[in-house]
């Protein structure tokens, strides 16, 4: 699941890399402004969830103003994926199927199964990557597909019995 998410994030960043900076930073009146604001939102949300899972909730997430460029975001994204992969290596089935309590961004106590929180994170990122596809089309750029089935098609085929 997270291998797909990382693949899709990398493809999305690749897709927006050819967009002129002015268009990349432009407010397109989407839920998080434009392409940059939406990418920062995905990164920010991913960091919030990772910090919750690692026990440091509440966590003060970065703002769009603290990530001024795509290059800065690429570097942060790379560090996030390394941190996430390190965390994932510590998990076992019992922890994945156990409840994990945290405080949401408003300070309210919450608790769900860890694997459900993880599914939510990947689904949330996919939703917003879809918004980026729409914004790229609005400005005349061609997006790169990030559907789950495309991810599977890039992987070696499993051998049948």
């Amino acid at each position: 699941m997270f291998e797909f998410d990382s693949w899709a994030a990398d493809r999305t960043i690749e897709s927006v890399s050819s967009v002129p900076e002015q268009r990349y930073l432009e407010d397109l009146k989407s839920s998080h402004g434009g392409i940059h604001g939406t990418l920062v939102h995905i990164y920010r949300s991913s960091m919030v969830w990772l910090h919750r899972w690692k026990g440091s909730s509440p966590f003060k997430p970065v703002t769009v103003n603290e990530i001024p460029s795509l290059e800065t975001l690429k570097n942060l994204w790379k560090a996030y994926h390394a941190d996430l992969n390190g965390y994932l290596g510590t998990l076992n089935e019992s922890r994945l199927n156990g409840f994990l309590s945290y405080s949401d961004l408003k300070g309210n106590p919450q608790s769900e199964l860890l694997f459900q929180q993880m599914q939510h994170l990947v689904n949330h990122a996919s939703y917003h990557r879809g918004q980026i596809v729409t914004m790229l089309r609005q400005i005349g750029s061609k997006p790169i597909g990030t559907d789950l089935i495309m991810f599977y098609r890039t992987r070696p085929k499993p051998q049948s019995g």
Side-chain angles (χ1 to χ4, degrees):
M1 170 172 57
F2 285 108
E3 186 179 354
F4 158 70
D5 192 56
S6 178
W7 171 87
D10 289 346
R11 286 182 59 90
T12 300
I13 288 171
E14 176 188 338
S15 184
V16 303
S17 292
S18 62
V19 173
E21 184 178 26
Q22 180 182 356
R23 299 303 314 255
Y24 169 74
L25 296 171
E26 183 179 352
D27 183 353
L28 298 171
K29 310 299 182 214
S30 186
S31 55
H32 299 283
I35 297 166
H36 179 68
T38 304
L39 281 171
V40 169
H41 173 73
I42 297 168
Y43 167 76
R44 170 188 162 130
S45 299
S46 299
M47 287 298 295
V48 166
W49 281 106
L50 180 57
H51 279 267
R52 287 173 178 162
W53 301 335
K54 292 172 72 177
S56 53
S57 176
F59 165 73
K60 183 184 179 311
V62 297
T63 66
V64 71
N65 295 332
E66 295 173 274
I67 303 176
S69 69
L70 181 58
E71 197 57 40
T72 302
L73 185 59
K74 284 180 187 180
N75 292 332
L76 291 170
W77 209 263
K78 185 177 181 180
Y80 159 76
H81 281 114
D83 196 10
L84 173 67
N85 288 333
Y87 172 73
L88 293 174
T90 69
L91 297 177
N92 58 34
E93 192 171 334
S94 175
R95 286 184 60 200
L96 284 168
N97 290 305
F99 281 91
L100 191 135
S101 299
Y102 60 94
S103 295
D104 65 21
L105 294 177
K106 295 179 182 173
N108 300 312
Q110 304 292 342
S111 185
E112 297 92 21
L113 298 174
L114 178 57
F115 84 88
Q116 291 173 336
Q117 294 173 24
M118 292 178 161
Q119 286 174 330
H120 166 75
L121 173 60
V122 173
N123 183 64
H124 176 262
S126 292
Y127 172 81
H128 288 296
R129 283 191 295 267
Q131 289 180 318
I132 291 169
V133 164
T134 298
M135 288 183 268
L136 286 169
R137 289 184 177 135
Q138 285 173 338
I139 65 169
S141 292
K142 185 175 167 88
I144 295 174
T146 59
D147 285 342
L148 182 58
I149 197 68
M150 292 181 74
F151 168 74
Y152 290 140
R153 289 173 183 160
T154 67
R155 297 300 180 249
K157 302 270 187 253
Q159 301 298 315
S160 60

